[in-house]
Amino acid sequence: MKKILAFLKKEPMLTVSVAAAIIALFITPPTPALIRDIDWKTLATLFMMLTVLEGFKSEDIFLPVIRFAGRMKTQAGLSFFLIFGVFFSSMFVTNDVSLIIFVPLTILLFRAGGKEHYILPVISMENIAAVRGSMLTPFGSPQNLFLFAKSGHSAWTFMLHMLPLWVFSGLLLCVFIRFHYRKDPREPIIVGKEERQWDPARAKQRICYLALFALIVWTIVSRTALWPYITAVVAVTVLICDRKILLKTDYVLLLTFLCFFIFSSSVTANEAISGFLTKAVANREYLWGILLSQFISNVPAAIVLYPFSTNLSALLYGVDSAGLCTLIGSLASVINYRIYVREYPGRGGSFIRVFTLTSLAFFVIVVIPGWLLSFWHF
């Protein structure tokens, strides 16, 4: 029991989701329809993405990017590269994975260059880059993946709606970086070269993961009905080529999704609660998406609010902006926090202070454009 309690304390999102699912099942007793209403396609797609991206990390597929970062000569130039490395990579490998790749690299390079005092501001801007960069594509974040699957629109329509905010966020990030280094834009930094090399014996695994990633992207964009078979192909291929990766897949996130799907289905089935939320959420999706995310994070907020939304784009803009308000607003922010406090124990308060001030300053500027765009329906 102590181990279970310690695990649940370590995984607060899972704890909240399990509690929500249990409460919901008392409100609406489980039925076969409840099982059918669970979005198994999103869960399967998320399983494939999480598994293959673990393979990316294991095989150092981003090693050329790490080597290139070591060639930077100025602090501002290195920061631009790292922040926009997160911004662009998050569109393809999800926002949390991009932070897992670039935040440790940032800490490593800044330590080597004697610039540790820049770490907190830069990884705070990397967090913004992850939240805003990932918003462009259907597979940039779990909430995008879920809402895209529900929208029924093409990937190009989805990306067209997200493009204005994505471009504006990228330009605003440039302003933030320039402002941060306004005193000495050419401040030098010296970092060592990356000595790691790809293992020639693992070439087959690297090719396998790249091919599987392309297959997953096609599955998402094409909306093929063959997704159950493709999920099986991905699982079997990884089992044959690199079975240990299946043990590293983030099953906690999958279970969290499953519990919130159960909660959403149960609440929707209750006429009284469903009626209240339908009236409360309709035409206020942008506000609800931002506010609810501060309590349960943006991924579960998207799942819970979707059945009661009449404006999907407003909900999407809301949950994608929620990670700029507080640490709990996005799972990616929590991951960023974990990485930092593992390297600097006892400095969690400093992280929260710098992160919150930087993110809120960005949020204040983008919240009104996001609200105006929320009237642009899919």
Side-chain angles (χ1 to χ4, degrees), residues 95-343:
N95 49 23
D96 53 345
V97 172
S98 65
L99 289 173
I100 290 170
I101 294 167
F102 280 94
V103 171
L105 176 61
T106 302
I107 294 172
L108 177 69
L109 293 175
F110 284 16
R111 276 177 175 169
K115 306 291 184 180
E116 283 189 89
H117 56 289
Y118 284 120
I119 289 176
L120 267 178
V122 171
I123 66 173
S124 295
M125 285 187 279
E126 286 177 356
N127 202 98
I128 295 171
V131 171
R132 304 309 281 180
S134 63
M135 70 190 302
L136 181 64
T137 61
F139 35 81
S141 63
Q143 70 269 15
N144 277 22
L145 182 64
F146 170 70
L147 293 174
F148 169 71
K150 294 295 186 182
S151 71
H153 293 285
S154 70
W156 313 118
T157 300
F158 181 97
M159 293 173 68
L160 178 64
H161 273 74
M162 307 309 293
L163 185 62
L165 275 182
W166 181 80
V167 171
F168 180 61
S169 297
L171 293 174
L172 188 58
L173 265 175
C174 291
V175 173
F176 268 56
I177 299 169
R178 294 285 296 181
F179 178 79
H180 185 68
Y181 291 108
R182 64 192 181 281
K183 292 182 179 179
D184 188 1
R186 297 190 178 277
E187 181 179 350
I189 185 170
I190 302 173
V191 294
K193 292 184 178 180
E194 176 57 55
E195 300 295 335
R196 284 180 296 172
Q197 300 289 332
W198 275 334
D199 183 357
R202 303 286 297 179
K204 183 191 298 182
Q205 281 78 9
R206 290 191 292 274
I207 294 171
C208 174
Y209 286 123
L210 288 168
L212 289 177
F213 182 74
L215 177 62
I216 295 168
V217 171
W218 176 82
T219 303
I220 295 169
V221 172
S222 68
R223 299 180 181 276
T224 177
L226 299 175
W227 63 266
Y229 305 102
I230 294 172
T231 304
V233 167
V234 170
V236 171
T237 303
V238 174
L239 181 64
I240 294 172
C241 294
D242 201 4
R243 65 182 63 188
K244 70 180 184 297
I245 291 298
L246 289 171
L247 299 176
K248 297 181 180 180
T249 301
D250 191 352
Y251 295 106
V252 170
L253 181 58
L254 289 171
L255 182 57
T256 301
F257 256 70
L258 176 61
C259 288
F260 276 114
F261 279 137
I262 293 172
F263 175 79
S264 179
S265 298
S266 298
V267 167
T268 303
N270 184 284
E271 293 184 4
I273 298 177
S274 178
F276 167 76
L277 287 176
T278 299
K279 293 178 181 178
V281 174
N283 300 316
R284 302 181 186 88
E285 291 88 350
Y286 186 66
L287 179 62
W288 271 85
I290 292 173
L291 293 180
L292 185 60
S293 297
Q294 308 316 310
F295 297 95
I296 63 174
S297 190
N298 54 5
V299 175
I303 297 170
V304 171
L305 294 175
Y306 167 74
F308 312 105
S309 300
T310 57
N311 184 350
L312 189 61
S313 59
L315 177 59
L316 187 59
Y317 294 137
V319 294
D320 275 348
S321 297
L324 299 172
C325 297
T326 64
L327 187 65
I328 199 65
S330 170
L331 181 62
S333 306
V334 177
I335 290 171
N336 198 358
Y337 172 81
R338 283 182 180 178
I339 295 171
Y340 181 78
V341 295
R342 277 203 301 266
E343 295 292 332

